[in-house]
Amino acid sequence: MINENFLLLPSSYLFSEVARRRREFERANPHADIIRMDIGDVTLPVFPVVCDAMHAAVDDMACKEGFHGYAPEQGYEFLRDAIAAYDYQQRGIAIDSDEIFVSDGAKSDLGNLGDIFSSHAVVALADPGYPVYSDSNVMDGRGGDCLPHGRFSHFIYLDSCSDNGFTVPLPDSRPDIIILCSPCNPTGTAMTRSEAATWVNYANANECVIIFDSAYESYVRSKDVVRSIYEIEGAHRCAIEVRSFSKSAGFTGIRCGYTVVPKELMCRDRIGNRYQLHQLWMRRQSTRFNGVGYIVQRAAASLYTPEGQRSIREATDLYLRNATVIRESLGQAGFITYGGTDSPYVWATLHGEKQDSWRLFDSILDKYRISTTPGCGFGRNGEGYVRFTGFNTEELTLRAMERINY
Ligand SMILES: *Cc1c(COP(=O)(O)O)cnc(C)c1O
């Protein structure tokens, strides 16, 4: 018998439909020269410092003294120590290296974390949001029944919309798990310190666990925006943080990320006994995961050097400049925009009468020869919006925006 939860999943036609419409437009307009602002992947090549580290690690593996077989399930100490020092302790945040679990990326961890929670746990998630949050919890049986607009009866939807500036409101009833993403994909909005404190206080008061996806923390430039949930007092008692080298250092093809599970973080069983989630996650990882490759962990560790940090800064600065150009140009052309300051994403709609996301997508493609991602693919509240990304080159981003402001 199959896991019938899979039958409940909405079909994921979004990106294939974007590609289909793009190709069709190209066929009808062979000289259209479409510029892609729908890219959900970084485009700069891997940094030299990372390539050097990987080459050296390959040479290690080729000799008896340097060979590395199975890696520790939690990750090599050299990498966990560097993460703890650079990403937390240097920023005044107390996280110990044995609270860090190295992984092959944030998407895996976001899905796998479901293993340590009850299938009856109630999950709260933002709409619009990264589709993995909903889909992976539906696979684990936490969705309940299908509702219209790809929604599920057991989830608590946190409605992000123009009324609240695409921030994420507190739930009306108590969830067990709250999934938050800041800076947010797709809306580009980022949580201020006081907004994050509101969530941490809510979670501690109501014994909820926050899963904080900060895949885009390296894009944060505003002083009042959090990079880590652990900047907030009390977060160690309620939050798991999921991070990735994908968007910061172009590791989408190398595959590495990490998850922080503080030892203080406790969660109850059915009869009220409290357990360390750290212990459960450790058990889960050492049973179902066999560690990240030595070469990849050396690659990640090279980011925690002055040159590695400089490279991350330069790459994210470039994508942020693109996002700024997009946001400003769209604003001048009569769009309402969100994001694009501490994020590579700009979330946009037109002033005036709302049209659906696909019509907006088609009209932008038709008028400007720019392809975007329809917001309806990220939830009901995404309807009427499209997502632009700053991941294209500076040159093509400028050319695309000249078309809009022509
Ligand atoms: C890209 C992305 C991830 C996944 O990152 P990987 O480490 O490449 O798996 C996670 N969360 C969000 C919101 C993302 O946009």
Side-chain angles (χ1 to χ4, degrees):
M1 268 219 293
I2 62 160
N3 175 351
E4 292 188 16
N5 294 318
F6 279 69
L7 307 178
L8 303 171
L9 294 169
S11 62
S12 61
Y13 68 95
L14 181 71
F15 292 98
S16 53
E17 179 62 15
V18 167
R20 193 190 67 75
R21 291 192 187 209
R22 204 174 52 230
R23 278 195 306 272
E24 192 169 283
F25 188 84
E26 270 166 341
R27 221 173 0 251
N29 309 273
H31 305 293
D33 185 25
I34 294 173
I35 298 177
R36 291 193 55 186
M37 307 259 92
D38 60 322
I39 305 176
D41 196 348
V42 295
T43 50
L44 292 172
V46 174
F47 310 148
V49 68
V50 173
C51 292
D52 289 346
M54 286 196 286
H55 282 135
V58 169
D59 290 340
D60 285 347
M61 294 293 257
C63 64
K64 213 171 162 191
E65 306 75 53
F67 170 75
H68 285 72
Y70 286 124
E73 290 97 349
Q74 206 183 335
Y76 284 109
E77 228 172 285
F78 65 75
L79 179 55
R80 287 187 290 110
D81 287 348
I83 292 168
Y86 273 77
D87 287 347
Y88 295 103
Q89 290 154 10
Q90 278 183 18
R91 296 180 192 160
I93 300 166
I95 287 292
D96 211 65
S97 71
D98 64 2
E99 295 174 308
I100 293 163
F101 296 80
V102 176
S103 74
D104 66 337
K107 194 186 198 177
S108 315
D109 282 351
L110 288 163
N112 294 338
L113 277 166
D115 282 2
I116 64 171
F117 295 100
S118 159
S119 57
H120 302 293
V122 175
V123 177
L125 71 188
D127 176 347
Y130 187 53
V132 173
Y133 309 145
S134 171
D135 289 357
S136 61
N137 279 293
V138 168
M139 288 176 184
D140 287 350
R142 295 190 193 93
D145 300 320
C146 294
L147 302 175
H149 307 285
R151 286 192 160 197
F152 288 86
S153 60
H154 286 181
F155 290 155
I156 296 175
Y157 290 93
L158 309 170
D159 287 313
S160 229
C161 54
S162 57
D163 295 344
N164 53 30
F166 284 96
T167 58
V168 181
L170 291 175
D172 295 329
S173 58
R174 180 197 166 272
D176 297 296
I177 300 168
I178 301 164
I179 307 176
L180 298 173
C181 180
S182 175
C184 174
N185 177 11
T187 65
T189 52
M191 226 179 251
T192 62
R193 201 155 283 115
S194 79
E195 283 167 345
T198 302
W199 279 107
V200 167
N201 294 338
Y202 177 88
N204 279 326
N206 293 281
E207 293 199 8
C208 313
V209 174
I210 294 174
I211 296 177
F212 193 76
D213 181 352
S214 64
Y216 296 93
E217 60 84 24
S218 58
Y219 291 83
V220 172
R221 297 292 182 270
S222 304
K223 289 278 177 283
D224 63 334
V225 166
V226 285
R227 296 185 66 164
S228 166
I229 193 71
Y230 305 118
E231 290 173 36
I232 308 299
E233 172 77 33
H236 293 70
R237 281 182 280 119
C238 65
I240 293 173
E241 182 158 279
V242 180
R243 290 229 178 142
S244 169
F245 299 108
S246 284
K247 314 306 190 328
S248 59
F251 271 46
T252 50
I254 298 176
R255 309 304 311 145
C256 196
Y258 63 87
T259 285
V260 182
V261 188
K263 291 187 172 164
E264 282 176 61
L265 174 55
M266 309 290 279
C267 190
R268 291 187 195 278
D269 66 8
R270 229 174 344 163
I271 56 170
N273 298 315
R274 298 169 85 230
Y275 294 86
Q276 248 187 346
L277 286 178
H278 183 276
Q279 231 165 39
L280 268 66
W281 185 241
M282 178 77 92
R283 191 72 173 87
R284 190 270 168 211
Q285 289 299 78
S286 44
T287 300
R288 295 201 184 202
F289 185 59
N290 233 345
V292 175
Y294 172 72
I295 299 163
V296 168
Q297 293 198 56
R298 280 290 177 205
S302 77
L303 298 168
Y304 297 101
T305 57
E307 194 187 338
Q309 296 287 296
R310 197 163 49 241
S311 304
I312 290 176
R313 182 72 190 205
E314 281 169 12
T316 51
D317 274 349
L318 180 128
Y319 297 137
L320 281 170
R321 275 201 303 280
N322 288 344
T324 301
V325 170
I326 294 168
R327 180 171 48 83
E328 289 175 352
S329 307
L330 290 175
Q332 281 167 28
F335 284 83
I336 303 167
T337 65
Y338 299 88
T341 46
D342 295 298
S343 160
Y345 297 121
V346 179
W347 184 244
T349 190
L350 273 171
H351 275 288
E353 202 189 327
K354 272 270 174 297
Q355 44 185 337
D356 76 49
S357 288
W358 282 113
R359 275 192 52 197
L360 186 56
F361 169 93
D362 283 333
S363 76
I364 293 169
L365 184 61
D366 198 47
K367 234 165 129 179
Y368 307 120
R369 287 131 40 229
I370 294 171
S371 80
T372 55
T373 307
C376 56
F378 301 97
R380 190 177 82 185
N381 297 331
E383 191 59 271
Y385 288 79
V386 292
R387 189 190 70 177
F388 288 75
T389 83
F391 289 132
N392 212 323
T393 62
E394 202 154 22
E395 189 197 342
L396 285 175
T397 302
L398 288 170
R399 193 185 304 165
M401 292 304 119
E402 276 163 16
R403 290 177 184 176
I404 285 187
N405 287 139
Y406 179 69

